[in-house]
Amino acid sequence: MQQHQLCVLGSTGSIGESTLDVVKRHPERFSIISMSANSSVDKMLAQCLEFLPKQVVMAKEAAAIELKDKLAQQGIQGIDVSYGEKALCEIASSKNVDTVMAAIVGSSGLMPTLSAVKSGKRVLLANKESLVTSGQIFIDAVKASGAKLLPIDSEHNAIYQCLPELEQNRPGECQLKDNGITKILLTGSGGPFRTKPVVELPNVTPEQACAHPNWDMGRKISVDSATMMNKGLEFIEAKWLFNVEPQQIQVVLHPQSTIHSMVQYKDGSVIAQMGNPDMRTPIAHALAYPERIDAGVEPLDFFNTKAFEFEAVDFERYPNLKLAIKACSLGQAACTALNAANEVAVEAFLDNRIKFTDIFTLNETSVQKFVSEKVTNISDVISLDARARTYASEQLTSLEINS
């Protein structure tokens, strides 16, 4: 049995912690070589004590210094601690690693994830922003290096599991029509405001937006779920992962989050992947693929499972999803600008600087501003991302609640 040597980018986030939970159930299969975190020094310290990685990277120098000091106080030696994007790219592409869990939230995960891809690693892709912001550039890098790309988002992992084996082994180059597939059905719960009157949405609080009914997630992705921007980003990601046109993807509201997504075939069959809403299931699937291992997740109890409900999307309630679907058709610049603006807008909302509904206003304005830009290489992506963030930040002034 091959023991995979893992780099976990974003180990202190919800996906990272779930990854480590699966890993420790199978010590004979997986070894943690390196990990990274943004600023959660105490969480990283605990993970270092348990998994004893060879390398750890923090986002900022101050956090790295603090971690070094705390490791020394614990008498732990032999863990190299560094910081910054260059160090992240180095651990993601290290020859000592064969598998990279790309779980850094947001566009800051793009360059280390791309480094892992260019080095030909098995890349477990939880950072959807990599494909949203760079699309064809990212897929071309996968093709060039021969990297193995395995989706971690519950929806994309579900779609992946519902595909023929041939298509599972060529992400970005799938020929779904040739295999009788007519549509991808991307499910979403609708978040915490699915039944809330639309007129009340301007007044919802960050705490309410982060109270997801089914999933335990970080604050940023929880807000994205409440606006359904998360589903919009997944829509764009699905286009690139499965090589389909936007009209071949349909978003379906499924409040129970039991069916994680579906694939429709031309003979009338619809194949669905089901399970309890626990990210350890798709993580375990990708970690062990093509084998199956225990994820620590109980299987569905069909005698006590809630009824399955499905609804069409109300775009008046979820204008961010409509905007993302439109951006998917408009091209790479629109998608890159949308993601950048959304990160600025969500942070401002979580800081109580703007209203919940202002997230859409900022996103729409930014897409309109940059939609005609040309994006042909990764330098273009980085430049546009930076300019879109600056523009979105400037537009905040007119929206701020206390201005």
Side-chain angles (χ1 to χ4, degrees):
M1 180 190 301
Q2 178 187 3
Q3 185 182 60
H4 288 294
Q5 311 298 301
L6 266 61
C7 166
V8 183
L9 299 173
S11 67
T12 61
S14 60
I15 297 294
E17 289 184 322
S18 293
T19 300
L20 295 179
D21 183 83
V22 175
V23 164
K24 69 184 179 183
R25 295 170 188 274
H26 304 277
E28 75 288 354
R29 286 179 174 266
F30 310 108
S31 177
I32 301 296
I33 303 301
S34 54
M35 302 188 293
S36 82
N38 183 24
S39 58
S40 301
V41 172
D42 288 339
K43 274 190 178 183
M44 179 57 82
L45 175 64
Q47 291 177 353
C48 285
L49 294 175
E50 181 172 6
F51 293 96
L52 297 175
K54 291 180 172 62
Q55 292 178 286
V56 170
V57 176
M58 304 298 291
K60 302 293 184 184
E61 183 179 16
I65 292 172
E66 184 181 352
L67 179 61
K68 283 182 183 180
D69 289 343
K70 291 191 174 185
L71 285 169
Q73 291 168 15
Q74 293 284 341
I76 301 297
Q77 298 178 341
I79 298 179
D80 177 65
V81 180
S82 53
Y83 68 93
E85 182 178 90
K86 183 174 183 289
L88 282 172
C89 293
E90 287 173 353
I91 64 170
S93 59
S94 169
K95 66 181 188 308
N96 298 320
V97 165
D98 61 67
T99 302
V100 176
M101 168 57 78
I104 296 175
V105 176
S107 61
S108 58
L110 170 60
M111 294 310 294
T113 304
L114 196 56
S115 292
V117 164
K118 289 181 175 179
S119 299
K121 308 297 185 187
R122 291 175 79 243
V123 179
L124 281 51
L125 188 65
N127 174 264
K128 63 176 64 65
E129 291 83 0
S130 293
L131 273 173
V132 171
T133 58
S134 63
Q136 190 65 57
I137 299 165
F138 189 92
I139 292 299
D140 286 346
V142 172
K143 294 176 186 176
S145 70
K148 176 70 174 177
L149 198 59
L150 294 155
I152 296 298
D153 269 352
S154 60
E155 295 82 2
H156 300 100
N157 183 267
I159 294 163
Y160 186 90
Q161 292 193 51
C162 294
L163 295 178
E165 184 178 359
L166 173 63
E167 303 308 322
Q168 292 179 350
N169 287 304
R170 54 181 183 186
E173 299 181 277
C174 298
Q175 301 297 321
L176 300 191
K177 186 178 179 181
D178 292 348
N179 284 274
I181 295 168
T182 56
K183 189 179 290 185
I184 286 172
L185 300 166
L186 193 64
T187 61
S189 71
F193 304 138
R194 183 177 59 86
T195 59
K196 196 174 190 65
V198 173
V199 294
E200 296 180 13
L201 292 179
N203 300 317
V204 300
T205 66
E207 290 68 30
Q208 290 172 315
C210 290
H212 195 282
N214 302 329
W215 295 94
D216 180 17
M217 305 181 293
R219 285 168 65 79
K220 194 270 181 182
I221 194 173
S222 294
V223 175
D224 282 348
S225 179
T227 64
M228 283 201 79
M229 175 56 79
N230 195 45
K231 204 56 51 183
L233 299 179
E234 289 170 4
F235 188 102
I236 298 167
E237 186 182 8
K239 165 188 163 52
W240 293 112
L241 273 174
F242 305 113
N243 191 29
V244 294
E245 296 303 316
Q247 60 267 27
Q248 294 174 276
I249 308 170
Q250 181 178 359
V251 178
V252 179
L253 291 189
H254 171 49
Q256 292 78 26
S257 297
T258 306
I259 294 176
H260 298 139
S261 274
M262 299 170 278
V263 172
Q264 177 180 302
Y265 288 78
K266 65 182 179 183
D267 61 2
S269 299
V270 176
I271 298 179
Q273 190 270 338
M274 295 182 286
N276 285 311
D278 190 316
M279 285 305 299
R280 290 177 297 174
T281 295
I283 288 168
H285 172 265
L287 278 171
Y289 182 86
E291 298 179 55
R292 298 277 182 168
I293 58 173
D294 173 34
V297 180
E298 289 297 318
L300 280 177
D301 178 355
F302 284 97
F303 301 107
N304 290 296
T305 298
K306 298 175 183 177
F308 294 167
E309 298 176 276
F310 304 97
E311 302 171 11
V313 175
D314 175 4
F315 287 113
E316 182 184 2
R317 179 181 300 279
Y318 303 114
N320 280 285
L321 174 56
K322 185 177 182 180
L323 179 62
I325 292 172
K326 182 180 179 181
C328 188
S329 296
L330 288 173
Q332 189 57 65
C335 296
T336 304
L338 175 64
N339 182 74
N342 185 64
E343 290 188 14
V344 171
V346 170
E347 182 179 6
F349 169 67
L350 287 171
D351 289 342
N352 289 297
R353 295 171 60 197
I354 63 173
K355 295 179 180 179
F356 180 75
T357 47
D358 289 336
I359 295 173
F360 168 71
T361 303
L362 199 63
N363 289 341
E364 183 182 41
T365 303
S366 300
V367 169
Q368 291 172 346
K369 173 71 174 177
F370 296 101
V371 65
S372 60
E373 296 267 345
K374 298 296 183 185
V375 181
T376 58
N377 54 54
I378 201 66
S379 295
D380 292 342
V381 171
I382 294 169
S383 173
L384 177 54
D385 178 84
R387 286 183 287 122
R389 287 171 192 276
T390 299
Y391 178 78
S393 298
E394 291 169 350
Q395 301 307 304
L396 279 175
T397 305
S398 63
L399 298 173
E400 287 181 340
I401 297 170
N402 297 318
S403 62

